[in-house]
Amino acid sequence: MKQRDLKYSCLIAVLYFGMNVNAQTTPRDTAAKEQKIEEVVLIGYGSQKKENVTGSIGMVSAKDLADKPNANPISSIQGKLSGVQVLNSGTPGTSPRVDIRGVGSLTGKTVFIVDGMITDDISFLNPQDIESMSVLKDPSSLAIFGARAANGAVIIKTKTGKGKPVYNFSSYLGVKKITNVPKMLNSDQYIELYNEKLLNDNNGNSAGSISRAQFPADTDWFKEIFTTSIINSNDFSASGSLGKLNYYGSVGYLQDEGNFAAGRGYNSGTGFNRFNTKVNLSYKITDHLTIGDNFSFSKMRTDLAKNPLLNAYNAPPTFPVMNPVSGDYQYFNGYSIPNPRAALDLYRSQIRQERMLNNIWGEYKFLSDFTLRVSYTTDNYNTSQYEFTPKMTSAPTSDQKPNKLITRDSKNRNYIWDNTLSWKKSFGNHNLEVLAGYSRTRNSYSQTYLEALNVYFDGTNESLNIFNGTDIVKVSNAVEAYAVAPYQDRIESMFGRINYDYKGKYLLNGSVRRDGTSKYSSDDRHRIFPAVSAGWVISKEEFMNNQNVFSLLKLRASWGKLGNPDVKRAYTLLTTIFKDGAYYGNTGAPAQTIDTVIDPNIGWETTTGRDIGLEMGLFNNKLKIDATYFDKDTKDVVYGVVQGTVSGASNWNNYVTNAYSFSNRGFEVSVNYDTRINDKIKLGVYGNLTTIKNEITSVYEGSYLNTGASLFGNSIVRLEKGQPVGSYYGYQVAGVFQNQQEINAWANQNSAQVGGFKFQDMDGNGVIDSRDKTFLGSPIPKGTYGFGVNLNVYDFDLSLDFQGVFGNKIYNYNREQRYGNENWDLDFYNNRWHGAGTSNTYSMTTNNQEIIKPNSFFVESGSYIRLRNVTLGYNLPKDFAKSLLLTKLRLYVSAQNPWTSFKYNGFSPEILNTDRVQMGVDNSIYPISAIYTIGMNLTF
C-alpha cells in the first residue's frame, strides 16, 4: 500500500451512564460497599437493563460526537461500530450514507429517530445537542417500528436538564484542505504524449503535432479550482431545573466554506451555513402526570457550485485560464472540454431551508403498574432553490445560450401521533412487561417550479427575480419533466411487545406490528411484521459463582421480519406521439400510443433477518467483547430489469417491478478495553471488524439489468443473479499487445493495435465480442474495521481513531472518459506502453475507442486505512478553573483525515454516490478534506 502525498416514544437504545439510575450492589463486587451503575437501554417505547437486551444494538455516547468538525453527527461514528458502514461526502452539508449489515434495498434509506420524530435526514441537527446515539442492527430490535425501519434505524436522544443551572460554550475553528490530489501532466509532458498519440494512431505520421511555442501556458487546473477554506462552529447551551420544570436550551451556528474556490464571477462556492436552536422541557404536574416539549428550529443555506472536477481532470495544461487578448475565459478551440474555471465561476446555485420540529408529549402513571404515554410530533420545512446559468461568451457563437434562471420552492409537512400503554409487573422471579400502541404518520410534499431566460444578475440574490426575465415557465403541483409531483402518504400502525425474564437469566422478547400504507392499493396495503428474540445470561447461573473472569456472559439470538414501502412506483401511462400521425386509407389523423409498459402491482419489499451473538464482560467489565453472526435476506426489491419479450415497449430494457432478492451474511465483532492504571492515568482501547458477503439471489424471470454510467452505450454495472449488487461488467484485460505477431496469434479482436489492450476470450470461440464480457469486481467491501486509543494522563487527553475497508473495487470512470485530447495523469505517463516490453498493464496513448470499453484496467482497489481523527486536549486544573468561576475549561487541537494509505488512482477511495447501484463508480466525486482545528469547551 502506498500513502498518497500518500423516554421518548420512539427511542430504542439510549445508553445512560450514571444519570439518575439506581445503584446496585452485587455479591461479586470487588470492594466492600462498592456500587455499580447498571447500564440501562431504552428500547422502543420503553426501557430495559442492557444485560437483558436480546437484540443487536450499537451505542455511541456524546463524547464520541463532541469536538469533531462534522456538520452531520453521523459522520462522527464512522469506524466506531461493527456492522455499520458510514460513507462521507466532501460536499459541505451533504448527509452521509449509512449501510447497516450490507445493502438491503436499492431505494430505501436508513431512518433517524430524533426525540420521537422519524426522518431520513438529520442535517438540521447540531451534534452538540446529542446525548446519545444508537444504531439498531437486527430485525428484532427494529420490528417494533415496522415499515419505517426496514433499512435500519439510528436512534438519537437529545440532551435534557436537571438540578442546578449549567452553562456550556463550545467553539472550534478549522482549516480544510483537499489532500491526495492526483498529479496531472504539465504542458511539456502533455505535448510529448499528444504528439506520441498522433504517431500511434497515424502509423508514424506526425502531421498535426504541437509545440510549446504554440502553447506557452502551463496551467494546473486543480490549483485553479481548489482553495483552502475555513470551518467554524460556535454553540451555547443552558440546562437545569426550576422547581418542577427541567429545561435544556441551546443555540448554535456553523459555517463551512467548502473547497471549491469562491468569490470570482457569480460563483458562491460550495459553502454550508446552519443556524439552529433547541429547547427541551419537561414539567411534573403531579407525581403521576408529566408533560414535555422538544423543539428544534434550524435555518440552513447551501451554496452549490457546478462541480468542475472532471473538467479539471481532462483539461489540457496548455491553455490559460483567461484569454490574454480578449480578457474573457479561454475557450479550448478544437477540444470538447469546457474551461473548468469558467464553469465554476459563472454558475450559481443556492438552497435555503427552514425546518421546525416540535414534539409534545405527556405521560400518566396509574394503578402503580400502568403508564400511558401520548406524543404528537410535527416536522415542517420549506425549501427554496435557484440555479443561475449565464451566457457563456467564451464559447463559440453557435453554442452560446441566453442567461437562464430556475427556481424551485417546496414544502414538506409531516406529523406522527403515538400512543402507548405499558404494564410492568414482577411475580417473584418472573418479570413481565407488556406494551400496546397505536401510531399514525402523515407526510406531504408540494413544489412550484419556475424558469425564465434573459434574467440580469448583478451579483446580488435580490436581482435574481424570475419575473424580470422572458419565456417564463411555471409548473405548480403537476407531473412534469420540471417538477416533482406532489404527494401525500400515510401510515397507520398497531403494535405490541412482551418482554419476559426469569431471574434475569432467561430472556424472551416478542413483538408484532401491523402497518397500513396509502402507497399501495387495498389488495396489498397492510403487512404484519413479527419478531422474536431470546437470551441466556450464563454468568448468572450458579455454576458461574466461583469464577472471577466473566462479569457478563450472555448468549442471544433473534429473528424478525420488516417491510419497505418506500419504493419507486409508476401509475401514469406515458404516451408517444407519432410524428406523421396515423392513416386510414388516404386520410391522416394525429395519433399517439402507449409505449411504456408499467407494473401496477408493485408491492412491498420485505426483509427477514436472523442473528446469533455472544456478549462477554471480563475482569470486572474492563474488557468487553461482542461477537455476532448475521443473515439477512431481502425479497421483492423494486428496480429495473430487462424484459426482452415485450415488443415495441420503450422501456423493455428497464422494466420496473419487484425484480430482485438479495442476501447479506457476515460476522461482526467489537472489543473494548478500559482500565484505570492509577488515579491520574486512564487507558481505553477499542476495535471492531465486520465481514460481509452480499449476493443477488434471484432476478425476475431470470433476467438482468445493464445500468449505471456508460460510454457509447456500454454500461459498466450489471445486476445479475449470483453477483454482489453494483458489480462491474466488461472485458478482462489479459495484457498489452507488444507486436503484430501477438495480434495475429490472439483471438480476433476488433481494432486491435500494437500497444492496445488484449481482451480475454472468455468463451474460447476465437472472437472477442460482447459475449466475452465478465464480472470485474464488486464495490461492496469484504470487510470494514475501526480501532482506536483513548489516553488520559493527568490533565491531558489523547485520542486516535483509525478506520478502513478492504476487498472492494472502485471503477475509475474519471480515467475512462476519454474522447480525444484530454489530459493524462502522471501515473499513466510513467507506466504507459511506448514500445515493445515497456508495459504489459498500461496501454499506449491513443484515440482508439476500443481502449475505453468497460474493462478491468479501470477497476482498481478500494481498500484503505485512514487516521480518521486525532485529538490532543488539555483540561485546566479544577482548582484553577474554580478560581476563574469556571467548572471546566478544556482546550484541544485535532486533525480529521490527516493521513490515508491506499492504492487507488484518485482523490479518495471513499466514494459516496447518490445512486446505490453505482456506489463504487468514481464519476467526478467531491473529494474528502483533511481538517485541522483548534477548539475549546467551557462549562460554568
Side-chain angles (χ1 to χ4, degrees):
M1 301 182 73
K2 68 180 179 181
Q3 179 183 353
R4 302 296 304 272
D5 281 22
L6 271 208
K7 238 175 186 140
Y8 290 91
S9 58
C10 293
L11 286 173
I12 288 262
V14 181
L15 180 61
Y16 291 89
F17 290 96
M19 292 196 64
N20 197 31
V21 179
N22 293 329
Q24 173 178 309
T25 303
T26 69
R28 292 196 299 272
D29 284 341
T30 57
K33 299 183 180 180
E34 178 187 1
Q35 290 184 319
K36 292 195 283 189
I37 301 299
E38 288 186 343
E39 296 177 347
V40 176
V41 174
L42 294 185
I43 60 176
Y45 312 100
S47 64
Q48 265 187 308
K49 297 177 184 178
K50 184 179 183 298
E51 68 177 22
N52 289 352
V53 172
T54 52
S56 185
I57 299 170
M59 292 167 287
V60 180
S61 64
K63 68 178 182 179
D64 293 306
L65 306 174
D67 307 335
K68 307 295 192 299
N70 299 311
N72 195 302
I74 295 298
S75 298
S76 298
I77 73 171
Q78 186 179 41
K80 293 283 188 179
L81 300 173
S82 63
V84 180
Q85 184 183 13
V86 176
L87 289 166
N88 287 303
S89 170
T91 307
T94 298
S95 298
R97 193 180 83 216
V98 183
D99 289 333
I100 300 175
R101 291 182 172 177
V103 178
S105 174
L106 299 179
T107 55
K109 295 181 179 180
T110 297
V111 296
F112 305 92
I113 304 163
V114 184
D115 293 338
M117 184 66 207
I118 299 180
T119 179
D120 60 10
D121 178 23
I122 58 168
S123 57
F124 69 93
L125 187 60
N126 183 356
Q128 299 292 335
D129 288 333
I130 295 176
E131 182 174 282
S132 58
M133 180 186 295
S134 301
V135 180
L136 312 184
K137 298 187 284 187
D138 70 312
S140 73
S141 299
L142 294 161
I144 197 69
F145 286 122
R148 296 305 304 270
N151 292 283
V154 179
I155 313 303
I156 296 172
K157 180 188 182 301
T158 58
K159 294 176 180 178
T160 57
K162 190 173 183 179
K164 295 181 179 180
V166 176
Y167 304 96
N168 288 281
F169 176 71
S170 299
S171 178
Y172 64 77
L173 178 66
V175 176
K176 297 181 62 177
K177 182 178 177 61
I178 298 293
T179 59
N180 304 307
V181 179
K183 289 186 170 65
M184 307 301 293
L185 302 191
N186 60 32
S187 287
D188 290 327
Q189 294 164 331
Y190 174 82
I191 290 171
E192 178 187 350
L193 261 62
Y194 181 96
N195 292 334
E196 187 177 298
K197 179 189 64 175
L198 294 176
L199 296 174
N200 291 335
D201 290 347
N202 297 306
N203 296 319
N205 187 340
S206 62
S209 61
I210 61 176
S211 67
R212 280 305 299 274
Q214 297 171 276
F215 295 94
D218 190 2
T219 304
D220 185 331
W221 289 105
F222 284 140
K223 286 186 178 179
E224 287 295 328
I225 65 171
F226 287 137
T227 185
T228 299
S229 65
I230 298 296
I231 181 171
N232 177 233
S233 176
N234 298 279
D235 303 283
F236 176 79
S237 69
S239 62
S241 298
L242 293 173
K244 295 182 179 181
L245 175 69
N246 295 334
Y247 64 89
Y248 172 83
S250 73
V251 62
Y253 181 75
L254 171 77
Q255 181 180 16
D256 183 351
E257 293 180 352
N259 289 111
F260 280 155
R264 306 188 201 180
Y266 304 131
N267 173 34
S268 54
T270 52
F272 174 74
N273 296 334
R274 180 183 66 210
F275 167 81
N276 54 269
T277 185
K278 176 76 176 167
V279 178
N280 288 341
L281 303 172
S282 66
Y283 185 77
K284 193 170 186 178
I285 298 176
T286 70
D287 290 341
H288 300 284
L289 179 62
T290 304
I291 61 173
D293 183 69
N294 303 313
F295 173 83
S296 297
F297 175 76
S298 64
K299 293 185 67 173
M300 294 174 284
R301 191 193 78 191
T302 305
D303 294 317
L304 301 171
K306 185 177 287 294
N307 188 336
L309 277 176
L310 183 60
N311 293 337
Y313 191 91
N314 289 333
T318 50
F319 288 98
V321 176
M322 310 300 293
N323 187 309
V325 176
S326 67
D328 202 350
Y329 290 97
Q330 177 66 48
Y331 172 68
F332 302 165
N333 190 32
Y335 295 73
S336 58
I337 305 169
N339 185 318
R341 186 71 246 181
L344 178 62
D345 289 354
L346 299 181
Y347 173 88
R348 183 181 178 95
S349 179
Q350 190 175 98
I351 299 176
R352 291 179 178 267
Q353 185 180 88
E354 292 187 356
R355 188 169 186 177
M356 183 175 69
L357 287 89
N358 195 44
N359 168 237
I360 303 172
W361 58 270
E363 188 172 89
Y364 179 62
K365 298 180 180 180
F366 61 99
L367 298 178
S368 71
D369 301 321
F370 289 88
T371 302
L372 174 67
R373 185 181 178 90
V374 179
S375 74
Y376 184 83
T377 307
T378 58
D379 180 11
N380 299 327
Y381 53 101
N382 301 326
T383 303
S384 62
Q385 178 180 4
Y386 70 78
E387 302 170 19
F388 177 74
T389 305
K391 184 177 181 180
M392 300 293 185
T393 57
S394 60
T397 304
S398 59
D399 294 338
Q400 293 182 17
K401 298 178 181 179
N403 293 353
K404 185 175 184 178
L405 176 65
I406 296 173
T407 64
R408 295 179 177 89
D409 294 296
S410 60
K411 294 181 179 180
N412 292 72
R413 299 292 182 265
N414 309 319
Y415 82 78
I416 295 178
W417 180 35
D418 282 327
N419 307 267
T420 61
L421 177 64
S422 61
W423 175 58
K424 189 173 184 179
K425 189 72 173 179
S426 294
F427 304 91
N429 293 322
H430 302 272
N431 302 299
L432 182 66
E433 183 178 0
V434 180
L435 173 81
Y438 171 82
S439 180
R440 187 176 182 126
T441 302
R442 186 187 71 190
N443 304 301
S444 61
Y445 174 86
S446 62
Q447 183 188 92
T448 298
Y449 173 98
L450 287 162
E451 72 172 42
L453 302 179
N454 299 305
V455 175
Y456 174 72
F457 178 46
D458 64 7
T460 64
N461 286 351
E462 290 74 20
S463 65
L464 293 175
N465 188 330
I466 200 86
F467 297 104
N468 291 336
T470 64
D471 303 275
I472 298 174
V473 174
K474 180 177 181 179
V475 181
S476 297
N477 300 335
V479 182
E480 300 283 351
Y482 315 104
V484 178
Y487 67 81
Q488 182 180 105
D489 58 72
R490 297 172 300 280
I491 296 178
E492 188 174 51
S493 310
M494 291 178 287
F495 52 90
R497 182 185 61 235
I498 296 176
N499 286 328
Y500 167 80
D501 75 81
Y502 175 73
K503 289 186 175 181
K505 292 191 295 186
Y506 310 116
L507 318 171
L508 182 65
N509 172 287
S511 66
V512 63
R513 181 164 177 137
R514 183 179 186 267
D515 279 328
T517 175
S518 62
K519 291 187 176 182
Y520 297 141
S521 64
S522 58
D523 295 335
D524 192 22
R525 180 159 293 170
H526 296 88
R527 287 290 178 99
I528 295 176
F529 306 109
V532 62
S533 58
W536 177 25
V537 185
I538 305 171
S539 54
K540 288 191 175 183
E541 295 288 356
E542 290 185 6
F543 60 79
M544 297 289 288
N545 283 346
N546 296 322
Q547 57 83 35
N548 295 309
V549 176
F550 291 101
S551 310
L552 173 68
L553 181 61
K554 180 173 71 174
L555 183 66
R556 54 177 170 76
S558 70
W559 174 92
K561 193 170 184 179
L562 298 164
N564 175 29
D566 296 326
V567 298
K568 179 182 179 182
R569 305 198 68 205
Y571 290 107
T572 304
L573 293 174
L574 302 179
T575 61
T576 296
I577 298 174
F578 290 126
K579 180 179 179 181
D580 298 321
Y583 284 83
Y584 300 91
N586 294 322
T587 304
Q592 61 188 70
T593 185
I594 297 170
D595 73 342
T596 302
V597 178
I598 68 168
D599 182 358
N601 298 314
I602 290 175
W604 294 74
E605 296 179 354
T606 59
T607 297
T608 303
R610 300 152 289 271
D611 73 359
I612 183 168
L614 182 66
E615 295 180 28
M616 292 179 283
L618 296 88
F619 314 119
N620 200 28
N621 276 332
K622 288 183 179 180
L623 177 63
K624 296 179 181 180
I625 301 173
D626 190 333
T628 305
Y629 170 77
F630 61 89
D631 183 347
K632 183 172 71 173
D633 294 309
T634 305
K635 295 183 178 180
D636 298 322
V637 175
V638 176
Y639 210 71
V641 70
V642 171
Q643 193 182 31
T645 59
V646 179
S647 176
S650 63
N651 66 327
W652 67 270
N653 62 344
N654 192 20
Y655 173 65
V656 177
T657 186
N658 293 102
Y660 299 91
S661 294
F662 304 151
S663 71
N664 293 277
R665 296 177 173 86
F667 290 92
E668 58 185 45
V669 60
S670 61
V671 180
N672 292 271
Y673 179 76
D674 291 284
T675 186
R676 181 182 292 273
I677 298 174
N678 57 43
D679 291 342
K680 299 296 184 180
I681 301 176
K682 292 190 296 183
L683 174 67
V685 180
Y686 77 91
N688 62 77
L689 172 68
T690 303
T691 65
I692 193 164
K693 178 177 173 57
N694 173 273
E695 182 181 351
I696 300 174
T697 54
S698 69
V699 184
Y700 177 77
E701 294 187 345
S703 189
Y704 63 92
L705 179 68
N706 292 325
T707 185
S710 66
L711 289 173
F712 309 112
N714 292 290
S715 299
I716 63 177
V717 172
R718 186 178 178 102
L719 301 177
E720 187 175 297
K721 181 181 177 180
Q723 299 297 325
V725 174
S727 293
Y728 314 123
Y729 191 70
Y731 296 95
Q732 181 66 50
V733 174
V736 175
F737 291 116
Q738 302 296 319
N739 50 55
Q740 187 61 42
Q741 289 75 18
E742 287 192 9
I743 294 177
N744 297 338
W746 197 250
N748 183 14
Q749 181 175 325
N750 184 41
S751 302
Q753 287 182 295
V754 175
F757 288 138
K758 291 181 182 178
F759 292 148
Q760 190 71 49
D761 184 10
M762 301 300 295
D763 60 6
N765 67 354
V767 177
I768 306 297
D769 56 25
S770 61
R771 292 170 293 184
D772 294 302
K773 289 184 178 181
T774 188
F775 289 95
L776 304 174
S778 165
I780 299 176
K782 293 180 180 178
T784 63
Y785 59 90
F787 60 93
V789 177
N790 297 286
L791 179 64
N792 293 77
V793 179
Y794 291 85
D795 295 319
F796 291 90
D797 59 86
L798 173 68
S799 66
L800 297 118
D801 299 305
F802 291 85
Q803 170 263 334
V805 304
F806 61 89
N808 61 310
K809 300 294 183 180
I810 298 172
Y811 199 96
N812 195 335
Y813 195 58
N814 294 329
R815 219 177 198 189
E816 184 184 26
Q817 295 181 77
R818 297 195 60 81
Y819 307 96
N821 298 322
E822 293 84 359
N823 197 8
W824 294 268
D825 57 54
L826 188 61
D827 174 76
F828 179 85
Y829 176 87
N830 291 329
N831 295 285
R832 75 191 187 282
W833 185 94
H834 54 282
T838 55
S839 177
N840 198 39
T841 53
Y842 286 59
S843 71
M844 64 179 175
T845 55
T846 179
N847 279 348
N848 186 341
Q849 300 300 311
E850 291 293 302
I851 297 295
I852 61 170
K853 283 184 175 180
N855 67 71
S856 60
F857 174 77
F858 302 107
V859 178
E860 303 184 33
S861 172
S863 301
Y864 70 89
I865 180 173
R866 170 178 291 151
L867 177 56
R868 174 63 178 159
N869 191 79
V870 55
T871 301
L872 176 63
Y874 173 71
N875 290 279
L876 209 64
K878 292 182 178 180
D879 291 339
F880 185 44
K882 188 175 181 180
S883 69
L884 299 176
L885 303 180
L886 303 176
T887 303
K888 180 181 178 181
L889 175 60
R890 179 173 178 268
L891 306 174
Y892 66 90
V893 292
S894 74
Q896 185 167 280
N897 308 321
W899 173 85
T900 307
S901 180
F902 61 97
K903 293 181 179 179
Y904 175 60
N905 287 288
F907 285 95
S908 169
E910 186 172 355
I911 306 297
L912 177 57
N913 206 313
T914 54
D915 183 356
R916 200 176 289 262
V917 172
Q918 300 187 77
M919 66 185 88
V921 178
D922 187 356
N923 185 10
S924 192
I925 300 296
Y926 197 116
I928 302 291
S929 302
I931 308 175
Y932 305 92
T933 60
I934 181 171
M936 64 172 290
N937 306 121
L938 174 65
T939 303
F940 58 97

